[in-house]
């Protein structure tokens, strides 16, 4: 048996050795596995007993799930009330990104939140509010003082929030933890 791929980012494999419980990873741009008389050769580097190898391949993305889901805008307090009522009927939390069109971090964070929304597509709905385009009563209702602010609402009230004034990947991880806490 041989397996060859031109791009190691498409295929990865883990080699587990039962004897010393070490994990070894193969890097590089090409992965070649060859079986010969009970042993597997990984490239020209190492001969490993067949019973100690597990190959995991992920060649194609899951096309049945979206990679990104557009966040819906909230335009005023009445719209927010309708969204909260619908969320209560479905007993689902919602996530609101309070942002501004002039805020660089807000603009940079929005597509990352849309990618994150694909992970929680059926469990949670993502919305955004541009604080410069809505009545200030709505902004006060959200108790917004800094942007971007990402809030999780459940049962018609704010349960948790993340104020995103730091690196986007940290904000996304904090938002993911916040979501997992309430789902």
């Amino acid at each position: 048996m041989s397996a060859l791929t031109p791009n190691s980012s498409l295929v990865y494999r883990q080699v587990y050795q039962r004897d010393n419980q070490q994990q070894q990873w193969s890097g590089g741009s090409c992965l070649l596995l060859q079986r010969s008389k009970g042993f597997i050769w990984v490239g020209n580097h190492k001969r490993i007993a067949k019973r100690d190898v597990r190959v995991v391949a992920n060649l194609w993305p899951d096309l049945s799930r979206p990679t990104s889901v557009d966040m819906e805008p909230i335009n005023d307090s009445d719209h927010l009330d309708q969204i909260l009522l619908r969320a209560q009927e479905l007993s689902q939390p919602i996530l609101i990104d309070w942002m501004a069109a002039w805020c660089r971090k807000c603009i940079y964070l929005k597509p990352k939140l849309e990618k994150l929304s694909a992970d929680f597509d059926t469990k949670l709905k993502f919305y955004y509010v541009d604080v410069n385009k809505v009545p200030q009563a709505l902004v006060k209702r959200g108790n917004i003082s800094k942007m971007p602010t990402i809030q999780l609402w459940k049962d018609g009230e704010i349960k948790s929030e993340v104020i995103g004034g730091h690196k986007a990947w940290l904000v996304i991880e904090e938002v993911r933890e916040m979501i997992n806490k309430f789902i």
Side-chain angles (χ1 to χ4, degrees), residues 97-109:
D97 175 21
W98 299 84
M99 47 105 47
W102 51 263
C103 171
R104 277 189 178 187
K105 290 187 180 184
C106 302
I107 294 167
Y108 184 72
L109 197 59

Side-chain angles (χ1 to χ4, degrees), residues 31-110:
L31 171 67
L32 174 64
L33 299 178
Q34 216 172 8
R35 190 175 75 192
S36 161
K37 295 183 183 179
F39 291 95
I40 294 182
W41 292 89
V42 181
N44 293 329
H45 303 294
K46 197 165 194 173
R47 187 175 91 164
I48 301 171
K50 182 171 66 171
R51 69 180 187 282
D52 295 333
V53 174
R54 181 176 77 177
V55 177
V56 181
N58 186 7
L59 295 174
W60 296 279
D62 183 8
L63 298 177
S64 65
R65 296 183 58 199
T67 57
S68 178
V69 176
D70 289 339
M71 296 192 306
E72 294 180 28
I74 297 176
N75 302 318
D76 56 28
S77 291
D78 292 336
H79 191 202
L80 177 62
D81 290 334
Q82 291 171 359
I83 290 168
L84 290 173
L85 184 63
R86 192 171 357 125
Q88 276 184 309
E89 289 170 359
L90 298 172
S91 66
Q92 270 188 337
I94 66 167
L95 188 122
I96 302 175
D97 175 21
W98 299 84
M99 47 105 47
W102 51 263
C103 171
R104 277 189 178 187
K105 290 187 180 184
C106 302
I107 294 167
Y108 184 72
L109 197 59
K110 188 178 176 198

Side-chain angles (χ1 to χ4, degrees), residues 108-109 112 166-174:
Y108 184 72
L109 197 59
K112 297 192 178 319
H166 44 288
K167 296 190 187 297
W169 67 272
L170 288 172
V171 173
I172 295 299
E173 286 307 311
E174 288 179 24

